[in-house]
Amino acid sequence: MHEQIDHPCVQHKLAIIRDVETGHKRFRELATEITQFLCYEALKGIRTREVQVETPMATATCRKIDTDIVVVPILRAGVGMLDGILDLLPTARVGFVGLYRDEETKQPVSYYERFPPQTKGGTCILIDPMLATGGSTIAAVERLKEAGAGQIIVICIVTCREGLEVVERAHPDVPIYTASIDDHLNDNKYIVPGLGDAGDRLFGTPHQ
Ligand code: PRP
Ligand code: URA
């Protein structure tokens, strides 16, 4: 299952974050803002429980979130989406998966991993701005499943049909929420039109 969030507020911000003229400060702000919209949509089916709340007037039947939430950025670019989610879910815990794409093979290489105990049985939100070939997402989902995650939800800012299909084939139980399903991958396995190298644009490093 995947869903592209077509809301005009998301698409407006996406147009600006894609722009080659957008500098790293604004890029970071936009990544945060877009992530908040995507997260809001992605969590619409999350488990809740009924609670009774005393208002100044009467007892109200309300609902509260009833699952541990663990947000898991894929290092490094996923960190650019973390603040946006934590603004919405301030009590969420945070795990990390360190992966980079080998320049030659384009395969993900693992270099770090740390999950809170609530990962086991919890709702894990995997974040990375780019889902390109899908290799990094598949590797991170596999690690979360090995750690016993209850439910896994992927949120990315930009993806493409090719990468989506690969991830959905490997993990059909994992929903993916995105602001855009782009046209294709180029020979270097970058998303076109995409937004370039998300990590470099977020953190102001020159493209290697
Ligand atoms: C980027 C991006 C994803 C991955 C996507 O990370 O942030 O993690 O590539 O590509 P894939 O879907 O083909 O696996 P990168 O390897 O550039 O590392 P960085 O976040 O440290 O810049
Ligand atoms: N990683 C990025 O940062 N951008 C892409 O388009 C593909 C992988």
Side-chain angles (χ1 to χ4, degrees):
M1 197 292 283
H2 62 262
E3 187 175 333
Q4 177 178 297
I5 311 303
D6 281 325
H7 194 288
C9 292
V10 175
Q11 295 305 316
H12 181 91
K13 291 176 190 300
L14 183 64
I16 305 171
I17 204 172
R18 283 189 196 273
D19 192 329
V20 68
E21 299 298 335
T22 299
H24 62 272
K25 174 181 179 289
R26 189 70 191 119
F27 192 97
R28 275 204 286 263
E29 292 165 353
L30 288 159
T32 297
E33 293 160 12
I34 293 169
T35 301
Q36 288 177 334
F37 283 110
L38 299 181
C39 180
Y40 181 77
E41 272 300 306
L43 294 186
K44 61 190 170 196
I46 205 166
R47 198 172 69 216
T48 58
R49 74 187 139 87
E50 208 172 276
V51 293
Q52 305 299 318
V53 174
E54 293 304 320
T55 79
M57 310 300 290
T59 303
T61 301
C62 304
R63 288 190 302 152
K64 284 191 169 176
I65 291 174
D66 190 33
T67 175
D68 284 319
I69 296 184
V70 180
V71 185
V72 182
I74 300 181
L75 303 176
R76 145 190 86 133
V79 171
M81 298 172 72
L82 185 57
D83 284 352
I85 296 207
L86 292 182
D87 279 350
L88 292 184
L89 303 166
T91 60
R93 291 167 204 272
V94 182
F96 292 93
V97 177
L99 292 171
Y100 69 87
R101 252 184 15 168
D102 181 90
E103 293 286 326
E104 296 300 317
T105 66
K106 312 301 178 200
Q107 293 304 304
V109 180
S110 167
Y111 62 89
Y112 185 76
E113 186 180 303
R114 181 102 195 247
F115 298 138
Q118 287 76 8
T119 304
K120 194 168 179 176
T123 298
C124 297
I125 308 172
L126 185 64
I127 50 176
D128 192 324
M130 311 306 280
L131 192 166
T133 66
S136 303
T137 299
I138 288 175
V141 168
E142 277 166 5
R143 293 302 305 117
L144 283 172
K145 286 188 173 176
E146 282 162 23
Q151 187 191 6
I152 302 171
I153 299 169
V154 170
I155 303 179
C156 59
I157 295 178
V158 180
T159 185
C160 58
R161 182 94 22 219
E162 205 174 319
L164 269 183
E165 282 175 8
V166 172
V167 177
E168 289 185 319
R169 215 174 304 126
H171 298 290
D173 54 322
V174 175
I176 302 167
Y177 292 84
T178 187
S180 184
I181 302 169
D182 276 12
D183 197 57
H184 66 279
L185 294 172
N186 68 11
D187 291 346
N188 221 12
K189 302 297 180 196
Y190 270 73
I191 298 171
V192 182
L195 47 73
D197 189 301
D200 288 340
R201 295 198 64 188
L202 276 164
F203 300 116
T205 45
H207 189 53
Q208 292 179 327

